[in-house]
Structure formats: C-alpha cells, structure tokens
C-alpha cells in the first residue's frame, strides 16, 4: 500500500522508484521505523532492503542519531514538508536536492515521512530530474 501511495505522489512506476540510479527514496513511521528502502539506499548505505525494513533508522545507521539533518525527518513527521536544494551529501560529497514529505491518512493525520533525494552529482544536476522535483513540490506534496 505504501508503495502505491508513493507512486501516485511521484507519478512514477514502482520500478522507476525502486531502481532509479540517482533517486534515493525511503520512508519512516513516527518511531523512525523504516517502511520503504529503494535500491539507491542499498547502494549508498550498503544495507539490503530486507535488512532495513522494520528497523529503527538510528539503530541501523547509528551515525544518524543526533545528526543535524534529522530535523528534516522530525519536521515532516510534524506535518511540515522540507525542501533542501544543492546541498552536499555526507557519504559521497555529491550535490543533491531533497524533499521530506509528511504522509497523511484519510483523516489528515501524519503517519509517516517520505524522504526523496535526487543525487545531482554536481551543482547543476540533470534538468529532467530537477523538473520532476519542481513539479512534485509545485503540486503541493
């Protein structure tokens, strides 16, 4: 069900979301339990999806505990979308754009946060990926 929700938000197929070489996508519940983990996550963090799902983010990746960028997850889980442009990724020093979106149930309650990172490689990035990201943000997600 969560994957269907993500595909609808991103207007991409399941395969595109799971295997895109520059698109890191993961999702977390309010306890920071990992609900979704795509192939780019596996590559970047060296942890397979099967090992990640259901685990608490800070237990799986201890370096995230207290990390300054965890505020993005906290804000999204509080209902506030976060957008970060042209930042540097700690693990590979590539530039990236990132959006962290609150996921809400039918009653409007936040139940999880969706983290989407586009690995730009350099500050200019790939135009088509940036356009997709802009559309995502402009559609109010």
């Amino acid at each position: 069900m969560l994957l269907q929700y993500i595909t609808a938000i991103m207007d991409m197929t399941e395969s595109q979301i799971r295997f895109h070489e520059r698109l890191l996508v993961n999702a977390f519940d309010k306890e920071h339990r990992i609900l979704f983990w795509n192939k780019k996550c596996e590559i970047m963090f060296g942890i397979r999806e099967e090992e990640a799902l259901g685990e608490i983010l800070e237990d799986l990746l201890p370096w995230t505990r207290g990390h300054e960028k965890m505020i993005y997850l906290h804000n999204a889980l509080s209902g506030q979308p976060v957008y970060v442009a042209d930042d540097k990724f700690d693990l590979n020093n590539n530039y990236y754009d990132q959006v962290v979106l609150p996921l809400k149930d039918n009653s409007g309650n936040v139940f999880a946060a969706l983290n989407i990172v586009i690995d730009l490689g350099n500050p200019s990035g790939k135009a088509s990926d940036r356009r997709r990201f802009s559309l995502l943000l402009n559609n109010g997600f």
Side-chain angles (χ1 to χ4, degrees), residues 16-85:
Q16 288 172 317
I17 292 168
R18 284 199 180 279
F19 300 107
H20 194 288
E21 65 185 35
R22 296 178 353 157
L23 189 67
L24 183 147
V25 181
N26 47 33
F28 309 92
D29 69 11
K30 289 194 166 237
E31 288 77 38
H32 300 183
R33 195 173 329 284
I34 298 168
L35 305 175
F36 184 81
W37 189 263
N38 78 345
K39 188 69 171 176
K40 182 72 173 181
C41 293
E42 290 184 355
I43 293 166
M44 289 298 297
F45 302 114
I47 300 169
R48 295 171 28 108
E49 178 185 32
E50 297 80 15
E51 299 169 69
L53 293 180
E55 296 297 321
I56 303 293
L57 174 63
E58 293 88 344
D59 293 342
L60 190 67
L61 299 171
W63 60 267
T64 62
R65 187 173 283 110
H67 194 282
E68 64 185 19
K69 294 181 182 177
M70 286 297 287
I71 191 70
Y72 305 159
L73 178 59
H74 294 288
N75 287 350
L77 289 170
S78 297
Q80 301 173 324
V82 176
Y83 175 61
V84 180

